[in-house]
Amino acid sequence: MNPESIPLHVVVLAAGQGTRMRSDLPKVLHRLAGRPLLAHVLETARALRPQRLVVVHGHGGARVREALDAPDIEWVEQDRQLGTGHAAACALPALGAQGVVLVLYGDVPLVRPETLQPLVAAAAAGRLGLLTARLEDPTGYGRILRDAAGQVVRIVEERDATPQERHIDEVNTGFLAAPVERLRAWLAGLDCDNAQGEYYLTDVVAAAVREGVPVEAHDAPPEEVLGVNDRGQLAALERRYQRRQAEALLRAGITLRDPSRFDLRGRLEAGRDVEIDVGVVLEGEVRLGDGVRIGPYCILRDVEVADGACIHSHCVIEEAVIGPGVQVGPFARLRPGTRLAARAKVGNFVEVKNSEIGEGSKVNHLSYIGDTTMGRDVNVGAGTITCNYDGANKHRTVIEDEAFIGSDTQLVAPVRVGRGATLGAGTTLTRDAPPGELTLSRVPQQTRKGWKRPVKKVRREE
Ligand code: UD1
Ligand code: CA
C-alpha cells in the first residue's frame, strides 16, 4: 500500500506533573524561546500533516488547554499519572481504527519533522518505528537492549537497569510509531511490574518482538532529543535553541556582534547588512529593512523597522512602525501604536505612545508624546509633555507641519498647534495655537531690587 494513503495520528503526551521543575506552572507551559514547550512540539506535529492530533493532558490541564487550544487539537484527560503507557492508552479512543500512531513527548521540544518521518514510514509498513540516540551521558534515559545479531529486543528504564545495562549509551528518545491496531493490543497487555509501579510505553517494544513484528530503530542527532525535566535542562536547551537560530541568521548575512548574547523569541525577517549588537532581545514578529542597526541592550517586540534606520542602545520598542532613516534612542521607549515617518528622530528619555511623528520631525530629549498626530519637520523641545489623560478619557493632540514647540511645554489635550506655529518655552497650552504665530503662557518675569537672601540665625552660648 502507498504509505501516503495511510492516515497518520499524532499523540502528544503532556500529562506529567513535572515535579522536578518545582513550579506551579505545568511543565509543558514553561517557555523555550518565548513559546511554551508544548507549542514547539505541536508545530513539529503539524508539519507531519496528521489526520488527528491528540494531546494527553493531566495536571493543570485547563491551563494547558487555554494556552494552546486550536480547532485541530483533540484534548484527552489522563486524571491519574500512571505512566507513559497509560497516557498513550488514554488517547486511543480519540483515534480511528485505521492508520498509524506517532507518539511525541510534550517535554522534548527540539525534534524535527524530518527526523520523525522514517518512524512514520516504518509504521506504515507494519513495523514498530523507534527513535534512538547515542548520548555522551545517558543518565536518566531508558536504554536500548539489542541481541547478538544487533536487533532491538527491549527497552529498560534506568531505574530498572542492571549496572551493566546502565553502561549502554544508546537511549530511547521516547518517540515511536506503530500501526494503531497493534499499539492498541500491546498497550492492553502492559503491566506495572517495575521500579516505578507505572505502565511503561517503552514495554511495547518487547511486546512487538514477542509477536515477531520487526522493530526499526532510527538514530537521531543527540541535540534533537534532549528533554526538559528541570530548570537546568530548560536553560541549557534555550541556549542551544538560540545558538541554532543565531547560526542561521549569520548564514543569512546578518551581523550579530556576539551570537551567544542574542535572543530571538519569535520570528525575524531581515534585509541585507543588518547589524545587531550584544544583548538584543527580539520578540514576536520583527522585520528589519536593509542596513538597519540595533545598538546594545534593546528589546523589540512586534516591530517593523525600515531601511537605514538606527536604534541606539537601551531602547524598549513594542508594536511600532519605524520609517526609513529614523534615529531612535539611546534610552527611548516606544509603546504600541507608535509610527515614526522617514528620518524622524526620537532621542533619549523620550516615551511615545499611540502617536504618529511625521517626516523629519524631532523629539530629542526627555518628553512624553501620547495620542498625538504630528506633521513633518516639527521640532519638540526638551521636557515637552502631552497631557492626554484627564483621569477618565484620553484626548488627542495635533501638531501641524513645521511647528516649533519650546522646551518644557505642556499640551493639554484636546488641543491643536497650527502649521508653523511657535510655542514659547514653558507654555501650558490649553487652547489651540494659531498657525504661524507665537503663542506663550508665561508669568511675567520680575526682579526685586535690593532683595536680600535670608541668613541663618546663629545662637550664641551664654
Ligand atoms: C521517558 C521514557 C524513557 C526515555 C525518556 C526520554 C518511559 C517509561 N520512559 O522517561 O525511556 O528515555 O522519556 O525523554 O516512557 N507523561 C504523561 N502521563 C504520565 C507520565 C508521563 O502524560 O502518566 C508524559 C510527560 O508529561 C512527558 C512524557 O510523558 O511529556 C515523558 O514522561 P517522563 O516522566 O518525563 O518520562 P521520563 O522519565 O523522562
Ligand atoms: Ca522526560
Side-chain angles (χ1 to χ4, degrees):
M1 206 200 298
N2 167 21
E4 286 294 305
S5 65
I6 298 176
L8 167 67
H9 309 302
V10 175
V11 172
V12 181
L13 305 188
Q17 300 208 4
T19 334
R20 286 166 280 177
M21 295 297 281
R22 299 181 185 280
S23 172
D24 291 335
L25 192 68
K27 176 162 76 178
V28 292
L29 290 187
H30 281 263
R31 286 170 186 272
L32 180 81
R35 288 193 303 152
L37 291 170
L38 185 54
H40 291 267
V41 179
L42 292 175
E43 186 181 298
T44 306
R46 286 183 176 123
L48 295 165
R49 310 192 153 277
Q51 193 183 78
R52 299 207 183 158
L53 176 52
V54 181
V55 179
V56 182
H57 68 81
H59 191 69
R63 281 173 86 180
V64 176
R65 192 175 175 153
E66 237 166 66
L68 291 157
D69 204 10
D72 62 341
I73 299 177
E74 284 174 62
W75 298 89
V76 168
E77 191 179 340
Q78 183 195 23
D79 50 8
R80 287 199 300 150
Q81 277 69 66
L82 302 176
T84 49
H86 178 255
C90 289
L92 288 175
L95 305 178
Q98 299 280 305
V100 303
V101 192
L102 170 70
V103 180
L104 305 180
Y105 285 2
D107 64 348
V108 184
L110 298 190
V111 70
R112 289 185 223 238
E114 308 86 277
T115 307
L116 297 168
Q117 202 71 63
L119 306 189
V120 176
R127 296 192 271 269
L128 171 62
L130 187 66
L131 196 67
T132 59
R134 290 196 182 271
L135 299 186
E136 250 169 57
D137 177 11
T139 311
Y141 289 83
R143 308 296 206 282
I144 305 294
L145 303 186
R146 291 178 185 262
D147 64 15
Q151 295 298 310
V152 174
V153 288
R154 66 186 176 97
I155 295 174
V156 62
E157 288 304 298
E158 166 142 318
R159 284 162 76 175
D160 302 293
T162 64
Q164 287 93 318
E165 287 168 342
R166 287 185 193 190
H167 279 118
I168 298 170
D169 67 352
E170 191 184 14
V171 305
N172 172 35
T173 65
F175 302 130
L176 57 81
V180 69
E181 83 282 8
R182 293 272 191 196
L183 189 67
R184 211 180 285 274
W186 297 332
L187 289 175
L190 290 185
D191 62 42
C192 53
D193 187 13
N194 53 53
Q196 305 187 72
E198 287 185 356
Y199 295 92
Y200 289 167
L201 175 61
T202 46
D203 286 346
V204 303
V205 173
V209 172
R210 271 198 302 278
E211 278 181 20
V213 172
V215 178
E216 205 179 293
H218 289 271
D219 192 44
E223 68 272 10
E224 286 187 38
V225 301
L226 298 172
V228 174
N229 296 309
D230 58 40
R231 300 210 193 223
Q233 289 173 329
L234 180 61
L237 229 59
E238 176 78 29
R239 271 347 299 162
R240 261 173 203 277
Y241 190 87
Q242 291 299 344
R243 188 81 212 182
R244 193 153 110 178
Q245 292 188 129
E247 278 162 9
L249 294 174
L250 292 169
R251 277 196 300 277
I254 294 163
T255 293
L256 298 174
R257 287 273 164 250
D258 181 354
S260 66
R261 283 185 289 167
F262 167 72
D263 287 86
L264 173 58
R265 302 174 190 154
R267 252 214 320 256
L268 170 63
E269 208 181 282
R272 292 179 78 80
D273 296 309
V274 166
E275 282 182 36
I276 299 177
D277 215 319
V278 300
V280 169
V281 177
L282 304 181
E283 300 183 338
E285 302 276 325
V286 175
R287 300 229 305 261
L288 306 177
D290 295 344
V292 166
R293 283 178 298 144
I294 302 184
Y297 306 108
C298 289
I299 303 174
L300 275 68
R301 181 158 62 75
D302 296 318
V303 173
E304 220 181 294
V305 185
D307 297 352
C310 180
I311 315 293
H312 298 281
S313 75
H314 297 93
C315 291
V316 178
I317 306 180
E318 299 167 72
E319 293 171 41
V321 179
I322 294 173
V326 164
Q327 303 269 329
V328 180
F331 298 99
R333 176 160 185 223
L334 305 184
R335 292 169 52 202
T338 296
R339 302 178 76 90
L340 308 182
R343 296 182 318 283
K345 274 182 79 177
V346 170
N348 39 216
F349 308 107
V350 172
E351 174 178 340
V352 182
K353 186 214 78 174
N354 191 28
S355 294
E356 284 139 45
I357 299 205
E359 256 183 70
S361 290
K362 298 184 182 118
V363 187
N364 276 338
H365 336 263
L366 298 151
S367 289
Y368 171 58
I369 304 296
D371 302 307
T372 295
T373 306
M374 191 185 295
R376 56 171 178 75
D377 298 318
V378 169
N379 190 83
V380 176
T384 296
I385 306 288
T386 54
C387 309
N388 57 325
Y389 185 51
D390 59 14
N393 296 299
K394 306 266 169 71
H395 302 282
R396 279 201 89 76
T397 297
V398 177
I399 304 174
E400 295 181 356
D401 297 349
E402 291 161 31
F404 182 98
I405 315 290
S407 297
D408 193 27
T409 291
Q410 300 112 57
L411 300 151
V412 183
V415 76
R416 173 181 290 264
V417 178
R419 184 181 175 130
T422 302
L423 302 189
T427 292
T428 301
L429 193 73
T430 50
R431 281 170 286 133
D432 292 356
E437 308 285 356
L438 169 68
T439 298
L440 73 170
S441 76
R442 203 177 270 175
V443 178
Q445 182 168 318
Q446 38 174 288
T447 303
R448 299 206 182 161
K449 278 252 160 140
W451 179 84
K452 291 278 184 290
R453 279 191 207 165
V455 286
K456 203 166 191 171
K457 281 187 189 139
V458 186
R459 240 192 233 152
R460 237 180 265 136
E461 300 279 330
E462 311 229 10

